[in-house]
Amino acid sequence: MINRLLLLAMLSLSKMAYSAELIISVNFNEAEIFERSANFSPDIVINRQSYSLEDLIQLASTKKVVMIGEHHNQFSHHFVQLSIIKFLHRKNPNLAIAVEWVQRQHQETLDSYMAGNVPFPEFLEAINYNMHWGFDVRNIMPVLEYAKEEGIKIYAMDSPKWLASKIYHEGINSLDPDQVNQLPELIREMSDSQLVELKSIMAVHNVSDEKIERLVLSQRIRDAIMAEQIEKALANGGYDLVIALAGINHVLNHRGVPFALNAGFLNTPDILNVSIQSPGEFDSGRFDTHVTVVFPLMVLKD
């Protein structure tokens, strides 16, 4: 039994035509989420065609990396991540998880928590959770607790926050030699069209063109660092599969972490990218990923 409060209930969903208004409102309660997620039955779209969850798990089990994109503040996205992890783990337990919500320099602290040596509040403080991440901690708890219970290794995937901040505020030339050593070994070059798209996304910050350029570079560096962490997990851990959890903009096929992975030893056929959408927003062409999981929103009650 997990002694931490987790999500109580998820409706047992069969295949159905979801309405745009369907929202699952849930309390945060003890461990039944792990039993309820066995009833997970979303709509799966691959190349604009419908598939079953079994099809997705079979496809994912043939890959070296499965990236599952999220909107950080959507609990339903984290629940989908948990459910896919559970199904894949049952099929082949020789896997690891990599997460964006812990910076790579906190790997030892993460390992200590997973081993039961650090209390949860101290763990959050030690990794600067509120400063680095800041989203509702209940979103990450189900994946964290499931991995802890099952002895699944979790890798800290994100770059140090100070690195992106310094590049944004002062430029990459402001880094001293020790800080330069924190950069990834390889940052894959993007095409003009890729850079234009990334700049258009960063333009929502409403800053100068120079700052936009720095934001784009910071994003590319973060993607490359996350790719390095995934590669290290595969190379050093001997895992058949790494499941990487990150924001949707890091998971797109033509840029982001998969694009950075293709600069290393992984090729596109080794990687499966998954996006999550609610029925009300569903558009199989909205995100450039291999797979779209269509699943109702889940809203946590306060």
Side-chain angles (χ1 to χ4, degrees), residues 11-31:
L11 299 179
S12 177
L13 298 171
S14 59
K15 291 281 182 180
M16 59 184 292
Y18 300 123
S19 71
E21 292 76 26
L22 180 54
I23 296 177
I24 304 172
S25 183
V26 293
N27 291 310
F28 214 64
N29 211 316
E30 284 191 47

Side-chain angles (χ1 to χ4, degrees), residues 67 98-107 132 155-165 167 172 175 178-188 216-234 242 244-246 250 256-266:
M67 296 208 64
V99 298
E100 183 189 358
W101 28 269
V102 183
Q103 299 167 84
R104 66 179 180 182
Q105 70 268 27
H106 297 309
Q107 184 66 55
H132 167 61
Y155 284 86
M157 188 168 60
D158 202 8
S159 66
K161 187 170 184 177
W162 65 260
L163 182 60
S165 177
I167 291 171
I172 195 167
L175 301 179
D178 289 337
Q179 293 169 337
V180 169
N181 287 333
Q182 297 294 316
L183 294 173
E185 291 185 11
L186 181 62
I187 304 173
R188 189 178 177 190
V216 167
L217 180 57
S218 295
Q219 180 85 346
R220 293 171 61 198
I221 288 171
R222 286 184 68 196
D223 289 336
I225 286 175
M226 285 194 270
E228 280 189 349
Q229 294 300 99
I230 293 170
E231 291 178 354
K232 287 177 182 177
L234 285 170
V242 172
L245 313 180
H250 295 291
V257 179
F259 181 78
L261 280 167
N262 279 315
F265 68 90
L266 283 174

Side-chain angles (χ1 to χ4, degrees), residues 114-162:
M114 297 299 287
N117 299 326
V118 178
F120 190 63
E122 292 181 19
F123 164 68
L124 294 180
E125 183 177 359
I127 66 172
N128 297 317
Y129 183 86
N130 288 334
M131 289 292 294
H132 167 61
W133 203 239
F135 295 97
D136 191 330
V137 72
R138 295 175 298 178
N139 290 335
I140 70 168
M141 283 171 61
V143 167
L144 193 65
E145 292 298 330
Y146 177 75
K148 187 176 181 181
E149 184 176 80
E150 295 294 327
I152 302 173
K153 174 79 172 184
I154 295 184
Y155 284 86
M157 188 168 60
D158 202 8
S159 66
K161 187 170 184 177
W162 65 260

Side-chain angles (χ1 to χ4, degrees), residues 2 34 85 89 92-97 110-111 113-116 142-155 237 239 241:
I2 301 298
F34 297 131
I85 288 169
H89 184 245
N92 182 357
N94 188 33
L95 60 79
I97 302 168
L110 176 58
D111 291 342
Y113 172 73
M114 297 299 287
V143 167
L144 193 65
E145 292 298 330
Y146 177 75
K148 187 176 181 181
E149 184 176 80
E150 295 294 327
I152 302 173
K153 174 79 172 184
I154 295 184
Y155 284 86
Y239 302 106
L241 173 66

